[in-house]
Amino acid sequence: VFGKFQRERKVRKVYKAVTLKPVPTGMHIHWMWAAGLARGQSGGPSAQILSHNPEGKKKSKEWTRCVLEVTDSKPIDLPEDVLKKEEKGQQFFENTIRLVTGRKHQVRAQLASLGCPIIRDTLYQPISGMTFELLSFGEAAEEAMDSAIAKCQVPNEPIGLQAHAILFGGVHAIARNAWWMK
């Protein structure tokens, strides 16, 4: 039954994400290299670099369309006991995100490409604001991207992302409070 709802696009997935900047509300469409390939294959973890430009990608099997909708972005105060020393005194934003397509690392990659990486996400924070379009600016831009990718590391602690709810066929499953909402 669940598979039928997915095929008919009747499954709604809602995520909560904490960032240091508000994510612009509305629909966000990006293009992800479909094969799951990343530029950081020189020993680094595989972070996805996205493209904002659909030109030549819509009909290409090498690119996959990624769509999410940010429905809310509001300032929040995190409890002192969950903050790391370097996080104290910072303003945080909790973002409500409706996933339209579901791709591996999609929420993380899209928010990072918008310059709003998820807190504690050491895989995507180094490439915040970077997209494939940066490569058109020449060798220096390519070296900057390679340098940023080399800093990407798989997180060793929980990041500010939660699969908050799934809604289908009258079922409304909502997760418990995330670690930042104690």
Side-chain angles (χ1 to χ4, degrees):
V1 174
F2 183 72
K4 180 180 182 238
F5 284 115
Q6 281 190 302
R7 282 189 300 282
E8 294 173 355
R9 295 189 179 263
K10 293 183 178 176
V11 176
R12 291 187 51 154
K13 296 177 185 176
V14 179
Y15 286 78
K16 296 282 187 173
V18 178
T19 58
L20 291 173
K21 296 190 324 192
V23 181
T25 56
M27 296 294 272
H28 296 280
I29 301 171
H30 296 88
W31 297 86
M32 184 180 283
W33 190 249
L37 299 175
R39 292 179 45 78
Q41 292 186 3
S42 59
S46 125
Q48 292 285 350
I49 305 287
L50 303 181
S51 173
H52 290 206
N53 181 359
E55 191 173 312
K57 296 177 180 77
K58 287 183 179 181
K59 295 182 181 177
S60 171
K61 292 180 182 178
E62 296 172 346
W63 292 93
T64 302
R65 187 170 175 253
C66 300
V67 183
L68 60 75
E69 179 182 18
V70 178
T71 59
D72 192 25
S73 183
K74 62 184 177 195
I76 61 165
D77 294 320
L78 299 185
E80 284 290 318
D81 64 328
V82 303
L83 294 176
K84 295 174 13 182
K85 184 177 153 184
E86 63 271 15
E87 294 172 334
K88 293 185 189 259
Q90 294 192 50
Q91 177 64 68
F92 297 94
F93 293 85
E94 185 177 66
N95 305 279
T96 303
I97 297 157
R98 183 178 69 86
L99 199 58
V100 178
T101 58
R103 314 284 181 228
K104 181 179 179 181
H105 292 200
Q106 179 181 334
V107 174
R108 296 166 70 186
Q110 283 192 267
L111 294 188
S113 78
L114 293 167
C116 303
I118 295 167
I119 64 166
R120 301 184 184 175
D121 190 355
T122 54
L123 186 58
Y124 284 93
Q125 283 174 340
I127 56 173
S128 176
M130 293 185 170
T131 65
F132 269 106
E133 286 74 28
L134 180 65
L135 298 176
S136 66
F137 291 101
E139 194 173 316
E142 185 173 341
E143 288 173 11
M145 184 179 282
D146 286 341
S147 175
I149 289 170
K151 295 174 186 165
C152 294
Q153 297 179 354
V154 175
N156 58 12
E157 62 185 338
I159 65 173
L161 180 65
Q162 179 196 44
H164 179 69
I166 187 164
L167 315 158
F168 64 95
V171 174
H172 292 47
I174 298 177
R176 294 183 183 146
N177 283 346
W179 63 263
W180 65 83
M181 300 168 67
K182 290 186 175 194

